[in-house]
Amino acid sequence: MKQKLVVVGNGMAGIKAIESLIAHQGAEFFQITVIGEEAHPNYNRIMLSPLLADETHFKDIVLNPLNWYREHHIDLHLSDPAIAIDREQKRVICYSGQHFEYDQLILATGSKPASLRLPNESLDGIMGFRTLDDVHRMQDTAKTYHHAVIVGGGLLGLEAAAGLAKKGMQTTLLHRSGWILNRQLDKVSAGYLQQELEKRDIHFRLNRQIKDVYESEGRVHQLRLDDDSLLPCDLLITAAGITPEITLAKTAGLDYERGILVNDQLQTTDRHIFALGECCQHRGECYGLVAPVWEQAEILGQNLANQQRQPDTPQSIYSGTRSATRLKISGIDLFSAGEVIPQEGAEVLCWNDPAQQHYRRLIMRDNRISGILLYGDIREGNTLFDLMQNNTDTSDIRQQLLFGTLDHHLPQPTVAA
């Protein structure tokens, strides 16, 4: 008898775990059901920003078309979100009332936009930016309305602002900090980025928050900021961070903090239930980038396969991920990884070319890289990232670290005769 594997979440995390299970020849042991809240097959959520900006098409960002599910004998249940887990009966209950029994359950419920706790937050025209349907609503709004305001100067907020400005909306970005991408960039590199975005008709209001929201006929119409200035607004995008979607886990009695608590095998406090991606919390960390999700999915799929094929094989361990940040706006190159704010005992190497707006800053500890920030010329980003990941002693290449000539100075692999 095949075991029943139910995956709640038809996004990148859950499907990547199934792909890993297939790759490790474990899928044949399971009857797999995927429950998706949206009406679409798995698509690349990272590409929603280029989709908004009309730089790609939906068919080009689909990762797993419907025939992939059929080919792998996966029961795909769409447009019907899971609303409860009955752990005693080991079944997942959907909004429609349909339920699915499981032997193993994977929660890949992702995240939702963090609430701004605004007055009138339920008005038409106030929304997040997380799904394909959000993109469609934003595109439709841009055809009729004129003023867009984005709250949040992080990656998602900047990408939303760039897309809406490209569609002709008068776009303003509010950010409560003194510079944009303050978790990834310093003030100098953020200034270069802001100058480039201002050329694309994006306006910035920094060190500002919303004080009040005014409506007209049930739709957001105007904002009052904390300096009492007024800002016209037909579309308000909330992009000030994400919150792990843990509602199912909470109501099922699983342990949680910010995210669903998992161990090094991505297992929750119920040995039959796993969680991965943006909804989980591992060793105190909740991740919002794709690299940790891929690594978690690979380990979970491999462990599920080995449990069936080779039960005595030691389980693989997920120990956390350090990943790099890149901005998905056409024509803008930046790369950020590791430590952003130099802490006590750190050394800072910096090279700045204001004329070209090329900027490179490295944070060092004992001649080892602990932070990377590149703007403009990012060609050596991956090389620097590898040096950081491998904790490489850079004593012999310190000068090359700053001036973009690393590839000629790193030790070359020996080729056997």
Side-chain angles (χ1 to χ4, degrees):
M1 290 289 292
K2 290 187 175 184
Q3 288 216 339
K4 295 175 181 176
L5 173 64
V6 174
V7 180
V8 177
N10 185 41
M12 296 169 70
I15 301 305
K16 194 68 173 181
I18 296 177
E19 290 180 337
S20 174
L21 181 65
I22 293 169
H24 291 284
Q25 300 179 322
E28 62 193 84
F29 299 100
F30 292 95
Q31 175 186 326
I32 303 173
T33 299
V34 174
I35 301 172
E37 182 175 359
E38 296 183 63
H40 319 286
N42 177 37
Y43 59 86
N44 189 344
R45 203 173 298 273
I46 297 171
M47 295 300 291
L48 287 178
S49 299
L51 185 66
L52 173 63
D54 293 325
E55 295 168 357
T56 188
H57 299 90
F58 177 66
K59 63 181 178 61
D60 298 321
I61 72 170
V62 172
L63 297 174
N64 302 86
L66 293 175
N67 62 353
W68 177 85
Y69 297 86
R70 290 191 290 267
E71 289 170 3
H72 293 286
H73 310 290
I74 296 169
D75 178 19
L76 179 60
H77 188 71
L78 297 178
S79 302
D80 192 17
I83 59 170
I85 302 169
D86 183 343
R87 290 169 57 193
E88 185 174 336
Q89 298 293 324
K90 293 179 69 177
R91 61 180 186 167
V92 178
I93 303 162
C94 293
Y95 181 80
S96 66
Q98 191 167 352
H99 64 267
F100 298 91
E101 296 178 350
Y102 66 85
D103 297 299
Q104 309 278 0
L105 173 62
I106 297 175
L107 298 180
T109 49
S111 64
K112 56 188 177 182
S115 173
L116 300 179
R117 295 181 173 83
L118 297 174
N120 298 330
E121 200 165 31
S122 61
L123 286 173
D124 283 349
I126 300 180
M127 58 180 293
F129 179 29
R130 302 295 297 168
T131 69
L132 178 64
D133 291 343
D134 291 337
V135 171
H136 290 160
R137 288 175 62 194
M138 292 162 73
Q139 290 174 330
D140 289 343
T141 301
K143 296 174 184 176
T144 308
Y145 295 93
H146 305 292
H147 299 280
V149 177
I150 294 86
V151 180
L155 289 167
L156 194 63
L158 294 177
E159 291 166 7
L164 290 169
K166 189 172 181 180
K167 299 196 76 63
M169 296 197 78
Q170 297 180 35
T171 303
T172 301
L173 187 139
L174 299 181
H175 191 46
R176 63 182 179 182
S177 297
W179 64 84
I180 54 178
L181 281 186
N182 53 291
R183 294 185 179 179
Q184 291 86 14
L185 304 181
D186 64 4
K187 192 171 185 177
V188 175
S189 53
Y192 288 154
L193 175 59
Q194 182 174 332
Q195 289 175 38
E196 176 58 34
L197 292 173
E198 285 172 341
K199 294 176 186 176
R200 305 185 185 199
D201 296 323
I202 299 173
H203 306 279
F204 291 85
R205 300 291 300 273
L206 303 179
N207 291 310
R208 287 290 167 260
Q209 298 185 68
I210 296 174
K211 183 177 179 180
D212 210 348
V213 178
Y214 301 116
E215 68 168 294
S216 175
E217 299 180 350
R219 185 178 188 89
V220 60
H221 175 66
Q222 193 177 58
L223 307 175
R224 183 179 294 278
L225 305 186
D226 53 4
D227 63 352
D228 280 333
S229 61
L230 295 174
L231 194 61
C233 178
D234 304 307
L235 176 64
L236 178 59
I237 306 298
T238 60
I242 58 174
T243 301
E245 179 49 84
I246 62 174
T247 306
L248 270 180
K250 288 172 64 175
T251 57
L254 300 176
D255 285 357
Y256 65 92
E257 290 175 1
R258 285 179 298 146
I260 306 166
L261 295 181
V262 296
N263 62 17
D264 289 347
Q265 286 77 40
L266 288 311
Q267 189 177 54
T268 70
T269 44
D270 183 323
R271 65 186 182 90
H272 300 291
I273 303 178
F274 303 84
L276 81 162
E278 293 177 333
C279 68
C280 79
Q281 180 177 331
H282 172 264
R283 297 188 185 182
E285 292 290 333
C286 294
Y287 296 98
L289 299 173
V290 72
V293 174
W294 268 201
E295 191 172 345
Q296 291 173 359
E298 168 61 23
I299 287 170
L300 179 53
Q302 182 182 40
N303 285 342
L304 288 173
N306 286 343
Q307 285 175 15
Q308 303 301 315
R309 299 183 64 84
Q310 301 168 311
D312 296 330
T313 303
Q315 291 201 331
S316 297
I317 288 176
Y318 176 67
S319 56
T321 306
R322 281 205 299 187
S323 55
T325 295
R326 297 173 177 86
L327 186 65
K328 297 180 293 299
I329 297 178
S330 177
I332 296 178
D333 295 314
L334 67 83
F335 184 103
S336 175
E339 191 174 344
V340 176
I341 301 174
Q343 303 299 316
E344 186 176 351
E347 178 185 8
V348 178
L349 305 181
C350 188
W351 178 77
N352 185 13
D353 182 351
Q356 296 292 323
Q357 293 198 340
H358 286 180
Y359 184 75
R360 180 180 292 214
R361 192 199 68 176
L362 303 175
I363 298 177
M364 311 290 295
R365 294 181 181 279
D366 300 321
N367 286 312
R368 290 166 170 80
I369 300 172
S370 62
I372 305 165
L373 202 169
L374 309 178
Y375 184 89
D377 182 357
I378 65 169
R379 288 174 293 178
E380 292 193 334
N382 290 332
T383 303
L384 291 165
F385 187 69
D386 288 342
L387 292 173
M388 183 177 73
Q389 289 287 78
N390 296 327
N391 200 33
T392 302
D393 188 334
T394 62
S395 302
D396 297 332
I397 55 172
R398 282 178 61 90
Q399 185 172 351
Q400 288 75 37
L401 289 177
L402 273 189
F403 296 108
T405 55
L406 273 173
D407 291 340
H408 304 295
H409 292 82
L410 292 176
Q412 299 299 310
T414 302
V415 179

